[in-house]
Amino acid sequence: SMKKNKFHCKKKSCKCPRFDYVPMSPEEIGEYWLPRRRGFDLGSWRAKCKCGHSHEDHTADYARRCRKCKCSQYRSAWACVVCNKHGEAHETSWETELERKQDRKSVGNAFMPLAEMPQVRADVLRSTRRTLLPAVAMTQIASNRASSGSRL
């Protein structure tokens, strides 16, 4: 009963054929150390293609060609933190809670990312909240926890 991704962008000038998920923070792709670096700017961070350019540098149509180099299509240089596969190995789909229940799939908190690995999920979510802290404060938190034997 899963619906294929048929949701189009509502922006009139957009040529994207469908919505595709792109990570918004380094923690989502396992690069948890980046926000801890001095001077790291989460607002300018983008998940890169193997050509080194962001998804924003590639066309929004099916071809997804890079506007900055000869790259013929966006190929993620990152991997999913859950399954360790590249972004293009995933497909966005839409299901209602009722559809998931009918298909005997998890819903609610059990459907949350990394639900089957609660410690990893807690670490990722803790790291995601920390991206809002300045890098200097993160260094202080890390050194305090390291000296007390706590994990980040």
Side-chain angles (χ1 to χ4, degrees):
S1 66
M2 184 171 30
K3 297 174 189 124
K4 293 292 182 190
N5 183 357
K6 295 181 181 176
F7 293 91
H8 298 281
C9 187
K10 294 186 181 194
K11 189 175 177 184
K12 291 184 191 253
S13 63
C14 186
K15 295 186 181 355
C16 63
R18 65 182 187 274
F19 172 82
D20 280 325
Y21 175 77
V22 176
M24 297 300 294
S25 72
E27 291 90 353
E28 293 178 55
I29 59 173
E31 295 179 349
Y32 59 87
W33 63 88
L34 284 177
R36 295 181 177 124
R37 289 186 175 173
R38 180 172 280 134
F40 177 79
D41 178 17
L42 182 60
S44 65
W45 180 88
R46 299 292 182 269
K48 303 282 190 205
C49 172
K50 289 183 178 181
C51 74
H53 298 112
S54 79
H55 69 284
E56 294 170 338
D57 297 324
H58 289 72
T59 60
D61 58 10
Y62 277 111
R64 300 217 164 104
R65 289 183 183 92
C66 186
R67 294 183 192 104
K68 293 190 172 185
C69 71
K70 295 181 191 252
C71 172
S72 62
Q73 122 187 42
Y74 183 89
R75 290 171 292 133
S76 60
W78 47 272
C80 172
V81 72
V82 175
C83 70
N84 206 32
K85 292 183 181 177
H86 287 280
E88 50 275 9
H90 295 78
E91 182 177 67
T92 304
S93 61
W94 307 93
E95 301 168 295
T96 66
E97 184 173 345
L98 178 60
E99 289 170 329
R100 290 190 63 78
K101 285 179 179 178
Q102 288 171 343
D103 291 340
R104 295 190 167 121
K105 294 179 179 176
S106 56
V107 296
N109 285 337
F111 179 62
M112 297 298 288
L114 302 168
E116 68 282 356
M117 297 179 277
Q119 184 59 49
V120 174
R121 183 172 188 267
D123 290 344
V124 169
L125 293 177
R126 190 178 316 116
S127 294
T128 302
R129 285 191 298 271
R130 285 190 191 137
T131 60
L132 303 175
L133 296 173
V136 174
M138 284 305 304
T139 304
Q140 184 61 42
I141 290 169
S143 65
N144 288 347
R145 289 206 174 152
S147 64
S148 68
S150 298
R151 288 179 43 163
L152 282 178

